[in-house]
Amino acid sequence: MTAEQQDEQPQIDDYIAPAPRISVQAFCASVATATTARAAAEDRRLAKAHLSVHMGGIAAAIEAYHKAPTPNVIILETEPGTDFLAGLDDLAAVCDPGTRVVMLGNAADVAPYRELVRRGVNDYVVGPVKVLDIVRSICSLFSATEAVSVGRLIAVAGAKGGVGASTVAHNVAWTIARDLGLDSVVIDLDLAFGTAGLDYNQDPVQGIANAVFSPERPDTAYMDRLLAKCSDHLSLLAAPATLEQVYDFGADAFDAIFDTMRMTSSCIVLDVPHQWTAWTKRTLVGADDILIVAEPDLANMRNTKNMMNMLKAARPNDRPPLYCLNQVGMPRRPEIEVKEFAKTIESAPIATIPFDSRLFGEAANNGQMIAEVSARHRTTKTFLQIAHRLTGRPDLAEQRGSLLTPILRKLQGQRDGRRKAAG
């Protein structure tokens, strides 16, 4: 990993599981907080939640719930100089059982946290609040206590057809399962031409087509029956790879499948085909992390730039999508240098994968992963680095090395000093 890549890498992994289908009502005391709450309502992780914003703080909430049932979650902003503990007592009299309460406070609040807990407050956020504060607070109310969507959704897509995005997706998923020990599922979304079954040497009779064409909403038991077991921690939801029918889908065709898989798997890697439809766009925008695979040429650079710009705009509260360069150094092919590519994209690739037709060809023809063909090849290590970045799990070996670096430098300096003195 280059110094540029290390500088770009986030220091902590701020993974927030999406909220289930719930109703949320926010009662704000300031226009600034109301604006922030409305922005939070547009976040992808609250796509299934219905968040409405009202002014008036706790007093307005008490008045509203005298006449109407309470939602799943109430967000209340405190007002300086008011006795909001008394307000909470009044709210409790009109609040339905099971409703969860989030308080947005400020530094001037003096009420002990235990008093808030005693009155049924589930979370307390000190302002000024940001969009992610509200998103995180709502989502954590459910992901931390209930068996709802907690699995991480990773989408891998090519900037252009034929760039090897599926190969990267399959190898990274295999690495996540084997080296990181996460229960993972690969979903091959290229129903007509998908290669995941070939790459994993599997020939399942059922797969993603059964789920997406099922007239009933798929539950966990049904999805488990469709999975092909590739290893102890890796399963496959394979594509039929047949042309007996066309595969036209609505924007939300895969939503129920993804939601169900999140409930049973720690990591779901989506092999997204190179096409631009309502459902592929929705899949990319809705993923927790995105990896774009590109080759170092002009069309790939343009497409990567367009995809990055669109996804950044659609996901303002997420970290930017990541990208890698594949098949770098192909003989006799003019290529755009990595530095120039990165300058146009305005970020460095998280990895560059060298062209090696013999290695990748042997793996593809044998139904093997790169690490199975050559465990010590540098591409094997590259896939491990990508796996760490996409899952947010730190590379402990790399961390140990960075912790020892200052000590080693000091020892080297002392040795150099002794040599100079002796000379």
Side-chain angles (χ1 to χ4, degrees):
M1 186 180 294
T2 66
E4 266 186 295
Q5 294 166 357
Q6 288 175 337
D7 290 341
E8 183 189 340
Q9 185 171 356
Q11 296 302 308
I12 56 173
D13 178 49
D14 190 15
Y15 173 59
I16 303 172
R21 203 172 299 279
I22 54 172
S23 58
V24 185
Q25 293 180 359
F27 290 85
C28 303
S30 66
V31 174
T33 300
T35 301
T36 302
R38 292 190 182 96
E42 301 299 320
D43 188 271
R44 65 174 180 84
R45 284 154 289 211
L46 298 183
K48 291 186 173 67
H50 181 263
L51 172 57
S52 59
V53 181
H54 313 270
M55 299 302 295
I58 297 177
I62 295 169
E63 183 179 352
Y65 299 136
H66 271 299
K67 308 168 186 176
T70 52
N72 300 108
V73 180
I74 303 172
I75 299 176
L76 303 169
E77 183 182 15
T78 65
E79 297 181 70
T82 61
D83 185 0
F84 63 86
L85 289 181
L88 286 174
D89 291 335
D90 293 339
L91 179 66
V94 295
C95 197
D96 298 333
T99 295
R100 307 181 190 197
V101 178
V102 175
M103 295 290 297
L104 307 180
N106 58 74
D109 294 338
V110 295
Y113 183 69
R114 65 176 177 272
E115 288 297 324
L116 297 176
V117 173
R118 193 168 65 83
R119 285 168 170 80
V121 173
N122 299 92
D123 195 12
Y124 179 79
V125 181
V126 178
V129 294
K130 299 178 181 178
V131 172
L132 271 184
D133 293 330
I134 295 177
V135 173
R136 185 185 296 105
S137 185
I138 294 172
C139 293
S140 64
L141 291 177
F142 297 89
S143 62
T145 58
E146 298 180 6
V148 297
S149 304
V150 294
R152 193 180 194 117
L153 212 61
I154 297 172
V156 182
K160 192 168 173 280
V163 298
S166 291
T167 299
V168 172
H170 304 161
N171 277 274
V172 169
W174 188 86
T175 302
I176 291 171
R178 188 193 71 160
D179 296 328
L180 304 189
L182 296 178
D183 290 327
S184 305
V185 172
V186 175
I187 302 182
D188 191 342
L189 294 172
D190 189 352
L191 275 75
F193 303 105
T195 59
L198 298 175
D199 285 352
Y200 291 122
N201 199 23
Q202 299 284 328
D203 188 21
V205 296
Q206 301 182 106
I208 184 65
N210 301 83
V212 75
F213 289 123
S214 172
E216 305 294 331
R217 181 181 175 86
D219 57 20
T220 54
Y222 178 66
M223 295 305 299
D224 283 343
R225 291 198 297 272
L226 300 182
L227 293 174
K229 195 77 171 173
C230 300
S231 66
D232 289 343
H233 293 289
L234 182 66
S235 298
L236 169 66
L237 199 56
T242 61
L243 305 180
E244 297 170 356
Q245 59 182 319
V246 293
Y247 303 103
D248 296 328
F249 304 111
D252 59 352
F254 294 92
D255 285 6
I257 296 170
F258 298 160
D259 289 345
T260 303
M261 294 312 304
R262 280 182 183 271
M263 297 170 66
T264 57
S265 302
S266 300
C267 184
I268 304 99
V269 177
L270 307 177
D271 180 3
V272 183
H274 181 71
Q275 54 183 265
W276 198 240
T277 63
W279 72 265
T280 53
K281 179 181 178 182
R282 185 179 177 92
T283 297
L284 290 172
V285 171
D288 296 306
D289 288 284
I290 303 163
L291 178 67
I292 300 169
V293 181
E295 289 184 4
D297 64 28
L298 186 60
N300 274 274
M301 187 169 68
R302 178 203 63 186
N303 293 354
T304 301
K305 179 70 171 176
N306 289 343
M307 292 174 72
M308 295 279 280
N309 288 345
M310 185 282 299
L311 290 167
K312 287 178 184 178
R315 300 154 51 89
N317 306 311
D318 288 87
R319 71 173 176 178
L322 305 172
Y323 77 97
C324 70
L325 291 176
N326 192 28
Q327 302 188 45
V328 176
M330 184 180 293
R332 287 183 281 190
R333 179 182 70 173
E335 294 182 350
I336 296 174
E337 291 187 5
V338 175
K339 287 184 179 179
E340 291 301 315
F341 201 104
K343 184 178 178 181
T344 299
I345 305 302
E346 299 179 346
S347 65
I350 64 167
T352 56
I353 303 171
F355 175 78
D356 191 330
S357 59
R358 182 177 176 278
L359 174 66
F360 281 85
E362 182 179 347
N365 289 336
N366 292 340
Q368 292 179 298
M369 297 293 100
I370 297 301
E372 294 178 297
V373 176
S374 180
R376 296 188 177 184
H377 196 277
R378 64 170 175 163
T379 301
T380 298
K381 297 178 181 177
T382 299
F383 286 137
L384 180 58
Q385 291 174 351
I386 296 174
H388 281 296
R389 287 293 301 274
L390 289 175
T391 58
R393 297 208 164 196
D395 188 334
L396 297 179
E398 192 173 286
Q399 278 193 344
R400 283 194 293 270
S402 64
L403 288 171
L404 289 172
T405 298
I407 301 172
L408 294 174
R409 283 177 181 168
K410 186 175 181 180
L411 292 173
Q412 183 63 44
Q414 291 173 349
R415 282 196 296 267
D416 291 343
R418 285 195 295 269
R419 288 192 190 117
K420 287 180 182 179

